Every structure is written in structure tokens, then in C-alpha cells.
Amino acid sequence: MKEQELNTMMSVVADPIENVYKINSRKDLEEIQRIIRIFNISSEQHVKHTLLSIKNLATFRLVLSNN
């Protein structure tokens, strides 16, 4: 989802004073919480993938050094 689509869906305007997420119902609140969870999961996955890549590179270098 693009930032502009997200802004349109959440009724966010470009004016900094009015640039807030409107929580008029429980559905809006749950949608914001869902978006936050997605961002947190994405951040955690990035860290895990980075560590896995480092481990794989170290293993690969070890294999190459033994041959």
C-alpha cells in the first residue's frame, strides 16, 4: 500500500495541524493497531534476516576456506 492510499483511507490531510488519525469508531482504532503490528513485525523480520544472512555468509566462507 502506498503512503497516499493510506492517507486517503485514514482521512489524513497534508496540513500539519490537521494531520491526525481520526478514531471515530472501534474499527478505526483496530485498523491503526493492525498497521502498527505490521510495522513491528516487518522490523523484527529485518533483524532476523540480517542475522541469518551473516550466519550464512560465515558458513560459506568456512566451507570455502576448508577446500
Side-chain angles (χ1 to χ4, degrees):
M1 181 179 300
K2 296 180 181 174
E3 183 180 1
Q4 186 177 7
E5 294 172 352
L6 181 63
N7 289 343
T8 302
M9 182 179 74
M10 299 301 288
S11 302
V12 177
V13 295
D15 184 14
I17 296 171
E18 295 290 324
N19 192 9
V20 295
Y21 291 112
K22 308 259 192 249
I23 303 176
N24 296 327
S25 68
R26 182 172 177 86
K27 180 183 174 189
D28 293 339
L29 176 64
E30 289 173 354
E31 182 67 17
I32 291 171
Q33 290 172 339
R34 184 184 71 82
I35 292 169
I36 292 170
R37 282 194 305 270
I38 289 170
F39 286 139
N40 289 339
I41 290 170
S42 175
S43 176
E44 290 172 8
Q45 285 178 343
H46 176 70
V47 170
K48 288 179 184 177
H49 290 307
T50 303
L51 293 176
L52 186 61
S53 297
I54 293 170
K55 179 183 169 188
N56 288 341
L57 180 61
T59 304
F60 181 68
R61 286 186 177 177
L62 179 66
V63 169
L64 288 179
S65 68
N66 288 339
N67 291 334

